[in-house]
Amino acid sequence: MFKNLINGQWVDGASTIVNINPSDTRDAIGEYALADAAQAREAVAAAHAAFATWSLTTPQQRFDILDAVGTEILARRAELGDLLAREEGKTLPEAIGEVVRAGNIFKFFAGEALRGAGDVLPSVRPGVGVEVTREPVGVVGLITPWNFPIAIPAWKVAPALAYGNTVVFKPAELVPGSAWALADILQRAGVPAGVFNLVMGRGREVGQVLLDDSRVAAVSFTGSVATGRLVAQACVARGAKFQLEMGGKNPFVVLDDADLNVAVNCAIQSGFFSTGQRCTASSRVIVTEGLHDRFVAAMAERMKTLKVDDARKPGTDIGPVVDERQLEQDLAYIAIGQQEGATLVAGGQYIERNAAGAPGYYLTPALFTGTAASMRINTEEIFGPVVSVIRAKDYEEALHLANDTPFGLASGIATTSLKHATHFKRHAQAGMVMVNLPTAGVDYHVPFGGRKGSSYGPREQGAYAAEFYTTVKTGYTLA
Ligand code: ADP
């Protein structure tokens, strides 16, 4: 039984949950404790008490701990990657890549603890000096989704601790394994009691405590738009700081002058890899007229070569969908696309058993053509391996279609034209823009986040994370 970590102690939950492998639903990975609201409040109390000391630790103390965490994660990449692939269903190479990312993030923020900087400047008044410094905000509540079981926790926990905050972390119910492994590593690396607390539990129960408890100064959330709105309302109501990372309906534009190979690679990669379960996935591929038919033919050809199978089997390109609920959602949207009059040119089939006969949530990647921008498959986030192609007359129309969405996380273009690439980078209404690269797959040392309905609050990752995890103080001294 894997327990919660509250005030430096491993404690049983009010109930338990079994972590199931979506590649083989007969495979139970382990039993995990589920905290209730009272235990969540205990964790908040512990984090609140620990803040006074932790916030005054030296940068060296925080560096040493975060660096040790990063070192252990990187050293155990194969084992942690295997656990991640087993509980979430992305392929083993993708899962190992995610673990490496998490390790690198801890190393990066270990350094950030040392680099914490401020400004010193003269006052407009004679004899007065001004200094602008940053301080931690207090207890931060971290609420994470299932699609990046270790990287998203890492990019919230590492900056939170680096800048001197204490943490109550509530992972998604579907992926407690990676969260528990991370908590175990933090605990053994010497994080003092109460500074980092793990409370596995239900969103509406444990997550809600983090939103409502006045001792939680800030909440960082990644998940669905619907839950993000609840987080925002609860935090605004009590004046807590919050940061939201939610959905996307990311466009990938393919112009007539694109390198067809580059365009297809990007669309396959960011449309279907990680089973399309990434908020940066390209779900709308907007192709100009001159290349449209060749692009679609090349996509369909390439899709025939993609192997959908057990996430941990060598050679698998696409693992299973994470669970039955998500599979039903993907299949519902595939049916909706057909009812709306789109043409399903490839994929979209549920396969109940993999090549070895194991039961799982396998779905062949689906490609729609003949789609209109107003169709639900082009306006609503599906979060599965489903891509729609939209035909555009020219670059201007393609850019308009790309931006014609309430979301604004990532936006990509395949083109060999410097003029169009430059124009697109400037005019794409998104937090991240990619030229001749997939929209999914970003660096760990630079800001991550979006505009419009995708995100709210300061960016995550890189040195910009300080905006959320610190608060600025302006000091005046008459010398
Ligand atoms: P997904 O569809 O990806 O599961 P959710 O937004 O439902 O997205 O979940 C993201 C995270 O938010 C999960 O950790 C979940 O438990 C949590 N959560 C869900 N409902 C609430 C809530 N009412 N309050 C706080 N957290 C919640």
Side-chain angles (χ1 to χ4, degrees), residues 143-144 146 170-173 203 207-208 211 221-222 224 227 230 325:
I143 301 175
T144 59
W146 49 260
K170 194 214 87 65
E173 296 92 311
Q208 197 69 43
L211 308 187
F221 167 84
T222 303
S224 64
T227 309
L230 295 177
R325 201 186 69 161

Side-chain angles (χ1 to χ4, degrees), residues 42 71 131 157 332 459 473:
E42 274 173 46
T71 300
E131 61 197 29
V157 172
R459 290 285 187 269
K473 182 178 276 174

Side-chain angles (χ1 to χ4, degrees), residues 7 17 228 343 345 400 404 408 419 431 465:
N7 204 16
I17 196 170
T343 309
V345 289
H400 169 78
D404 189 18
K419 180 168 160 255

Side-chain angles (χ1 to χ4, degrees), residues 30-396:
E31 207 182 336
Y32 291 78
L34 278 188
D36 61 12
Q39 288 178 313
R41 280 190 283 271
E42 274 173 46
V44 171
H48 193 248
F51 180 69
T53 316
W54 180 252
S55 58
L56 297 177
T57 48
T58 64
Q60 188 67 49
Q61 285 170 299
R62 283 175 272 132
F63 173 92
D64 288 343
I65 288 176
L66 296 175
D67 187 59
V69 171
T71 300
E72 178 166 344
I73 291 173
L74 292 173
R76 290 173 58 195
R77 66 185 68 184
E79 171 214 340
L80 293 171
D82 186 74
L83 169 65
L84 199 163
R86 190 174 165 204
E87 72 174 348
E88 197 270 346
K90 66 184 59 171
T91 66
L92 197 51
E94 289 172 332
I96 292 171
E98 184 183 332
V99 171
V100 169
R101 178 187 184 93
N104 286 332
I105 286 169
F106 273 94
K107 295 270 177 188
F108 176 86
F109 282 107
E112 281 300 285
L114 295 172
R115 284 187 287 269
D119 297 316
V120 177
L121 54 158
S123 166
V124 293
R125 287 171 281 168
V128 174
V130 180
E131 61 197 29
V132 182
T133 53
R134 287 183 179 275
E135 295 179 5
V137 291
V139 177
V140 295
L142 306 179
I143 301 175
T144 59
W146 49 260
N147 65 330
F148 285 90
I150 196 161
I152 294 179
W155 81 54
K156 295 185 192 295
V157 172
L161 297 180
Y163 298 118
N165 303 281
T166 56
V167 167
V168 180
F169 166 42
K170 194 214 87 65
E173 296 92 311
L174 280 177
V175 289
S178 300
W180 188 91
L182 179 60
D184 174 52
I185 293 169
L186 284 156
Q187 165 84 340
R188 285 184 295 94
V191 175
V195 170
F196 171 86
N197 302 274
L198 169 73
V199 281
M200 299 177 281
R202 308 259 177 231
R204 240 169 282 143
E205 191 173 8
V206 168
Q208 197 69 43
V209 169
L210 301 183
L211 308 187
D212 293 337
D213 194 309
S214 61
R215 293 168 295 184
V216 178
V219 176
S220 180
F221 167 84
T222 303
S224 64
V225 172
T227 309
R229 294 224 170 94
L230 295 177
V231 174
Q233 281 163 11
C235 289
V236 164
R238 65 180 184 85
K241 193 171 183 179
F242 63 99
Q243 172 185 59
L244 310 175
E245 200 56 65
M246 302 171 288
K249 196 68 196 173
N250 308 296
F252 189 73
V253 170
V254 178
L255 298 185
D256 286 354
D257 62 31
D259 177 320
L260 184 60
N261 218 14
V262 167
V264 169
N265 282 344
C266 290
I268 295 275
Q269 224 284 13
S270 51
F272 300 134
F273 285 6
S274 295
T275 322
Q277 298 174 153
R278 295 186 281 195
C279 45
T280 49
S282 309
S283 47
R284 297 183 298 136
V285 180
I286 302 160
V287 190
T288 48
E289 247 155 24
L291 195 62
H292 178 276
D293 294 356
R294 280 170 60 214
F295 174 82
V296 169
M299 281 290 284
E301 206 49 43
R302 181 72 65 81
M303 287 169 67
K304 285 186 199 148
T305 69
L306 296 176
K307 289 192 190 67
V308 180
D309 206 336
D310 190 309
R312 295 187 294 159
K313 184 176 162 186
T316 295
D317 296 299
I318 300 174
V321 173
V322 72
D323 73 347
E324 194 172 355
R325 201 186 69 161
Q326 183 62 51
L327 176 70
E328 280 168 7
Q329 178 167 317
D330 296 349
L331 290 170
Y333 274 109
I334 290 164
I336 288 167
Q338 289 170 298
Q339 284 153 20
E340 286 179 312
T343 309
L344 182 63
V345 289
Q349 306 303 312
Y350 167 39
I351 304 170
E352 288 175 47
R353 286 175 188 276
N354 66 21
Y361 307 116
Y362 298 99
L363 178 63
T364 56
L367 185 69
F368 278 111
T369 57
T371 76
S374 58
M375 288 178 176
R376 285 181 65 193
I377 53 168
N378 278 325
T379 54
E380 297 172 20
E381 187 174 46
I382 301 170
F383 221 61
V386 184
V387 168
S388 318
V389 177
I390 308 174
R391 188 192 288 263
K393 195 163 75 260
D394 52 20
Y395 168 72
E396 283 69 29

